[in-house]
Amino acid sequence: MRFLEHTGVSLLVQWIMGAVLVGLLVGCGGNTPTPTVENNALPESASALRFTTVTAGTGLGDFKHVNGAFGKLWFPEIVGGGAGFMDYDGDGWEDLVLVQGGTWAESPHPPVSALALYRNQGDGSFTEVTDLVGLEEVVAYGMGVALADYDNDGDPDIFLSTVDRNLLFRNEATADGQPRFVEVGLAAGLTDIAEWSTSALFFDADLDGYLDLYVGNYVDWSPEKDIVCTIVENKKSYCTPQLYEGTAGRFYHNNGDGTFSDWTVEAGFADAPGKTLGVAEWDFNQDGWSDIVVANDTQRDLLYLNQGDGTFVERGVASGLAFDENGKARAGMGIDIGILDETGQPSVLVGHFHNEMMGVYRQVGDALFVDRSAPAQIGRASMATVTFGLCLFDADLDGDLDVFATNGHISEDVELVMGNAPFRQLPHLFLNEGEGRFSESTLSLTPPVVGRGVATADYDRDGDVDLLVTENDGPVYLVRNELEEGQAVRVALQGTTANRDALGAQVEAVVGARRMHQRVRNGSSYLASSEKTLTFGLGTASQIDTLIVHWPGGGVDRYTALPAQHEVLISQGEGILAHHPLEKGEAMRE
């Protein structure tokens, strides 16, 4: 093989050949159910697990993500597009927002709208309504979405990250009462600076009842700054991020009047290496204030601890989250957080590149973590793949968190130099066996794909959690969970003095001697946004004995004897506003 003589190309060679060597040696939203003690009423039900890819039969078969490639091999073409679930019209059914990607001005390809919206018909199918809601002419090279009610008016809005100016779409009702999205980014205070942004999340950083916004940025790239790299002879290939300067993320404070102020410097986010691909929220020190973890690609990962005064302090290195066990930065991509074992301590999971173990950082002290990827029995299997989308969810409704990772390489050329690293890859499903150990399921959730984003929701309202997987320059995969056993209670929260979406709420479910905890969160995974309704797996238990809701900013509500296979809507200080049964089998609109 002959490589172009470029200072950056040597890094590319080291990256590829290092992966080959390790490969020879060794042969990747979150709702967060949390078991803390054993409970015989919640048995394992892995044998009853069954997932079916139902894309074509649900009206999504014509969707295709477009990365705009036309022979130049520009860096953003490898990143892919995200997706998310939200109930845009308030009918109780989770609809789909899909990032359709984009094309380049220099390209001969016709332009596409950066976003597509599909309405859930309530019968297991979806209908595209992009043009009906005003999203048919969104001109941008889209990356990811963050979906939340940022203006507290009772309906979800859309933030779209792009390789240029980011866009914010406010959900507004027309004269006939139909939802319509209006782009208000500049008017709302988002910067007009061209930055390549990726994953983002809404969270109430200062507990004033309004959702603030953190936007992860990647690298300083433009067509004029594109670098030529090769893998095979003198054929151009996609470069690695080491060759570009990173761009720090941005933090926007919600002013409470529909606008934001850029507080990146004031809040302590300006001094960051950039190259961000994933971001997730959690309250690690249980002081009531949201902290965030940022996964960076070939740069140290970051832990921002909320000081409760409008500022954050970065403690990634001191916490043990920043590097691998050898002190090296890895290719951080998808991310999620949850409690995986009986310790009751959260774990931060980060998806990495081929021949890099998925990070499984369990908290062991005050903002201190240890990586348990190997003892968790996740590390070895995850080294065979390039993990982008990553989510924790209770696949088998047994009360503990399982791990799903969608995988795919960045360039087809890799198959020419790395026989053990296919371009299209199968996903991972790691089932939680308890005590922090996992086993990899042999279930086939999707075919081999160039996997990127993954989001979760119970889109058919049967009580188990389904998956949505995106493919770079390819179709979308709706994967229905057809679990035959196991029951659940689903809990939707609505804030009054807290933010309307109740982001940051902690919910504890007591079932017999067992306690489970979930946190209402935005962000996580990769370029994606999962539903905010919480699903508590009960196994064969008949009810949640006690449900305790800790609202953001203070206040606690308690409820008893919530029956299995029901969904409840709880309003802060007002109690249960609605409930309905969850039926197995095909969902039907009420």
Side-chain angles (χ1 to χ4, degrees), residues 27-154:
C28 94
N31 297 334
T32 54
T34 306
T36 56
V37 297
E38 289 296 321
N39 179 2
N40 292 330
L42 293 149
E44 294 290 334
S45 55
S47 61
L49 267 178
R50 186 177 69 196
F51 289 87
T52 303
T53 299
V54 295
T55 312
T58 55
L60 301 172
D62 293 334
F63 175 84
K64 183 181 185 297
H65 173 262
V66 176
N67 71 1
F70 66 111
K72 296 289 187 179
L73 276 72
W74 284 346
F75 198 9
E77 295 165 4
I78 68 175
V79 173
F85 288 97
M86 70 174 186
D87 181 7
Y88 85 96
D89 55 1
D91 66 352
W93 297 83
E94 293 289 330
D95 310 300
L96 296 181
V97 179
L98 302 177
V99 178
Q100 200 155 254
T103 57
W104 305 109
E106 300 83 351
S107 168
H109 301 317
V112 297
S113 176
L115 285 172
L117 179 62
Y118 288 80
R119 182 174 185 265
N120 191 330
Q121 296 297 108
D123 59 1
S125 69
F126 293 82
T127 299
E128 185 174 4
V129 294
T130 308
D131 57 340
L132 299 179
V133 298
L135 295 174
E136 72 277 12
E137 295 182 358
V138 178
V139 180
Y141 194 103
M143 290 277 119
V145 290
L147 310 175
D149 183 5
Y150 82 90
D151 52 3
N152 282 346
D153 66 351

